């Protein structure tokens, strides 16, 4: 099994087919979208392919270490993820092809008018530790 991150973007990807910003959706359209996401996650929980997923709140803070005894730096000249990342889901699947299949299905969540939004999702594999490399570390080899 391999883990993949399905990253939902507010912007930065090509425009989805049903490109109506969520703030212009009706409460019913938002509820249908959220329910689709819940149903999708529940189905993957049953198949053992769901690891975790969350929607992200728009607020956030940049933090970095600024040296021993100094307070952390909490701002910087960076693109703000709160404007870019809407949420994410982690899946654990047998093949890359299955990850693509699930990402495509998740992309079909309903939006304005109940039509699929066909949003672009970023599919990113997790770094994996090879069993050989781990064994070598423990045996001194």
């Amino acid at each position: 099994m391999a883990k993949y991150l399905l990253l939902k973007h507010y912007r930065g990807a090509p425009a989805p087919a049903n490109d109506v910003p969520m703030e212009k959706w009706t409460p019913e359209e938002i509820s249908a979208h959220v329910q689709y996401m819940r149903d999708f996650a529940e189905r993957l929980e049953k198949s053992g392919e769901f690891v975790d997923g969350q929607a992200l709140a728009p607020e956030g803070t940049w933090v970095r270490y600024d040296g021993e005894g100094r307070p952390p730096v909490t701002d910087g000249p960076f693109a703000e993820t709160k404007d870019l990342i809407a949420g994410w889901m982690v899946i654990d699947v047998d093949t890359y092809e299955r990850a693509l299949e699930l990402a495509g299905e998740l992309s079909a969540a309903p939006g304005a008018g109940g039509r699929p939004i066909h949003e672009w999702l970023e599919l990113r594999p997790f770094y994996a530790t090879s069993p050989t490399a781990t064994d070598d570390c423990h045996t001194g080899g």
Side-chain angles (χ1 to χ4, degrees):
M1 302 277 287
K3 289 184 180 149
Y4 290 88
L5 173 67
L6 303 175
L7 192 57
K8 297 172 66 66
H9 291 272
Y10 284 119
R11 61 183 184 166
N18 186 356
D19 193 20
V20 177
M22 190 178 255
E23 62 266 11
K24 294 185 179 179
W25 295 2
T26 67
E28 295 80 16
E29 291 166 341
I30 292 172
S31 292
H33 181 82
V34 169
Q35 189 61 52
Y36 182 97
M37 303 294 287
R38 286 185 181 140
D39 292 346
F40 183 80
E42 184 178 309
R43 186 168 52 84
L44 295 185
E45 283 176 352
K46 290 178 182 171
S47 70
E49 296 173 307
F50 181 81
V51 176
D52 196 10
Q54 298 292 323
L56 298 175
E59 52 281 333
T61 303
W62 283 97
V63 178
R64 74 171 169 84
Y65 176 75
D66 198 34
E68 192 65 40
R70 299 178 67 178
V73 175
T74 58
D75 202 1
F78 311 109
E80 299 209 32
T81 58
K82 63 188 173 191
D83 293 336
L84 301 175
I85 301 171
W88 51 270
M89 182 177 288
V90 176
I91 58 174
D92 195 359
V93 295
D94 288 327
T95 65
Y96 174 71
E97 289 73 22
R98 177 66 174 153
L100 287 174
E101 176 186 340
L102 293 174
E105 189 175 332
L106 186 58
S107 167
R115 296 180 315 277
I117 54 179
H118 299 282
E119 70 179 323
W120 288 90
L121 297 172
E122 185 177 351
L123 178 63
R124 303 267 312 263
F126 279 46
Y127 272 117
T129 305
S130 106
T132 305
T134 304
D135 291 344
D136 288 347
C137 289
H138 295 291
T139 60

